[in-house]
Amino acid sequence: MSTEVARCQNHPAVQAGNGIDQLRTELREGIRTLTEAIEARATEEELTTALQEQKIEFTTALQAQKNEFTAALRAQKNEFTTALQATKDEMTALISDCDFNNRARIMNSGAFRREVLLYPLKNTTTHEVVQLPKTLGDLRALQEPAAEKILQDLGQDPARRGKLAQLTQFIGVVNSFAKP
């Protein structure tokens, strides 16, 4: 029978059956290859999706850090600008006070008679105008405790002795006791 089967192998019906087996094998192999490709494609899509999600998370975290850094930088800039403006305002006030005091001292330096009016000065810390005795005569008549109070109002440390002389010099009066 094996010889008969061997002879019949070339017979069209047998060849068709062998062809079907071969097609079935090829079909199974194709399905297996297709299944692996689909699974590989699914894995590739999963990886692509995971990679995109990580990219989004990284970008979001990076943007959050950038925003935080920018906010901190702006806050420091604002603090610096505020401090710089305060310093500028202080310096402007100090220069203005010094200018005011220098003008008053120049005017007071010309006081040689008792009836000459004295110009007030400013305290350079409080920026307040400190009233002086009205005239050179009033300055000459001033007592030490009153001179000490005016010196303190001007932001000066009164000397232990000679407070009136200290005040006279500080306000710009020269030779105040030369002429009666």
Side-chain angles (χ1 to χ4, degrees):
M1 187 139 84
S2 59
T3 8
E4 288 178 11
V5 172
R7 285 188 207 163
C8 291
Q9 283 184 350
N10 292 332
H11 194 284
V14 173
Q15 284 183 346
N18 287 340
I20 290 174
D21 284 340
Q22 187 178 356
L23 280 174
R24 188 178 307 151
T25 303
E26 288 176 6
L27 183 60
R28 283 186 186 151
E29 183 62 31
I31 290 172
R32 187 183 62 75
T33 304
L34 184 60
T35 303
E36 287 176 0
I38 290 172
E39 288 174 356
R41 180 73 177 153
T43 304
E44 183 181 315
E45 287 176 2
E46 289 171 2
L47 288 174
T48 302
T49 303
L51 188 59
Q52 287 174 344
E53 288 173 359
Q54 286 179 350
K55 180 182 174 187
I56 291 169
E57 287 176 21
F58 176 76
T59 303
T60 303
L62 187 62
Q63 186 63 40
Q65 285 182 345
K66 178 184 173 190
N67 292 344
E68 186 179 322
F69 177 73
T70 302
L73 194 59
R74 281 192 183 128
Q76 286 180 348
K77 177 188 167 232
N78 290 341
E79 287 176 23
F80 179 73
T81 302
T82 302
L84 190 60
Q85 184 62 44
T87 301
K88 178 186 172 216
D89 293 345
E90 255 180 66
M91 294 304 293
T92 301
L94 181 61
I95 290 169
S96 175
D97 291 347
C98 288
D99 183 56
F100 181 91
N101 288 348
N102 286 336
R103 290 173 191 263
R105 286 184 182 109
I106 290 169
M107 297 303 289
N108 291 340
S109 69
F112 290 101
R113 292 194 179 121
R114 296 179 63 82
E115 65 276 357
V116 174
L117 296 176
L118 297 176
Y119 290 84
L121 275 72
K122 283 187 175 182
N123 180 316
T124 57
T125 304
T126 64
H127 312 292
E128 294 178 10
V129 175
V130 177
Q131 294 301 322
L132 303 176
K134 192 168 186 147
T135 64
L136 181 58
D138 294 338
L139 178 65
R140 288 180 183 169
L142 202 61
Q143 299 295 315
E144 289 284 315
E148 181 177 6
K149 168 90 169 77
I150 293 171
L151 284 166
Q152 289 171 341
D153 290 347
L154 287 167
Q156 298 300 302
D157 291 327
R160 287 194 168 175
R161 294 185 187 170
K163 293 175 181 74
L164 187 55
Q166 180 186 0
L167 177 61
T168 301
Q169 182 183 14
F170 186 75
I171 65 173
V173 175
V174 291
N175 298 324
S176 65
F177 296 101
K179 293 184 180 178

